[in-house]
Amino acid sequence: CLLLQSCRLHSKRLPLSRLPVIYGHRLASTDSGSSGGNAAPNRLNNASAKSLFLCGQEFESDDYTNLTDRIIEQVNCGLHRQRGHPLWLLTNRIVGHFNANYTRSRSRPLFTVVDNLSPIVTPEQNFDSLLIPADHPSRRPSDVYYLNRGRLLRGHTSAHQCDLLRQGLDAFLVVGDVYRRDEIDRSHFPVFHQMEGVRIYSQEQLFAGAKDSADSLRMFDRSRNRTDEQQAGHSVETSKLLEHELKSCLEGLARRLFGSSIAYRWVPAYFPFTHPSWELEVRHSQSDGGEADWMEMLGCGIVEQRLLDGCGLPNRTGWAFGLGLERWAMQLFSVPDIRLFWSKDPAFLAQFAQPCQPGADLWQPVQYKPISVYPPCPMDLSFWLPAADASFHSNDFYDLVRSIAGDLVEQVSLIDEFRHPKDGRMSLCYRIVYRSHERTLTSEEARTVHDQIAKSAVTRWAVQIR
């Protein structure tokens, strides 16, 4: 249902009885802006520098606004909805797995799939509803793309979790583009795609399989204190059963996608909105034949009861998980660079076309084969920050590089830093690796872009180029 049809909803919140139906489930609309196709192109209002137009709405800028033209161009591209794209293929494989293994009566899919919610959300949706502390680093403008103080581009699909729970959904998958100001390398991009999965239970649903003792089992035990293994107020049976259901679900998904012999392990983790929490790590072989590495593939946990209480569900418990589609696709299809997912090169997309054809086998093996390998062009940029350097953040520099170099930049890394012993100024040296996936990039071309970045850094932060 994610991609066989693209359902466009208006920003007005509709009652469940009027929501469109896909695969027998009603698709909820919880966006803070307009979702679906844009009425007009996304753009900055450069004439006044006081507003921007995004997803069909105009937003006033303020001191928190930090979107760049480059990011605005990529908002709501919906790669996961584009048939023939590797993210489309992966999304439909995951949805197919859930539909085949989790059903309601009359073989109806248990999980509602929501794939077209607007990426524009409020701080309350992105942070407060998920119990993220007010001083958490993820709220800072150095980490998040803000339209203004009251609106931002979601940093995770979990931003819609509470809205969907309040609308009455008890099992759902949310798929969408998310945005984070981050480092630059082959596995990080400021726009990527996530899938959020949530399932909540009533007491009858949770203990449905325990036929002989279901009447004596209780979901809550108010005498239980919070420990590393369970939440306060949850009975031991609830904690153990929820953990079993969650891990069994995700282990089954990993085996279906990567093969029954895949090696995996669970690692304790921390998230503000789940407890206990875990990360699933999968062991992948190195392409160069080296020793296999463990890689974190998703985060998950038991939904904090305070979150459910805030959604008006004090008598329910459940679990949630979140995974990055690009990370799974890179491992599954052997894609070496996250930038490739944004490529419009027919030679790249054609490699994933066959399984995406109507009626084709979605599960037929696909492995990316490099079209061509073009050489990298590394260049260093060193500069002194002014004495008052507290406002500078590396993510600001990465954003500047992206806005100028676009997809020509493969990696940016801080290779040296030095504080002058006399005047206290900080010197930073960044190595910027330029490489095109479509042609050989000349040194002259890279130098032109490199010089533009240097000049922009001087203008923006008053740095002194070394």
Side-chain angles (χ1 to χ4, degrees), residues 377-380 434 442-452:
C377 189
M379 293 186 177
D380 293 347
Y434 302 94
T442 67
S443 297
E444 290 76 13
E445 290 175 303
R447 173 57 62 184
T448 299
V449 176
H450 199 70
D451 289 344
Q452 291 176 0

Side-chain angles (χ1 to χ4, degrees), residues 95-107:
V95 172
H97 171 78
F98 274 90
N99 286 348
N101 291 275
Y102 297 93
T103 59
R104 300 181 189 269
S105 61
R106 299 181 181 178
S107 299

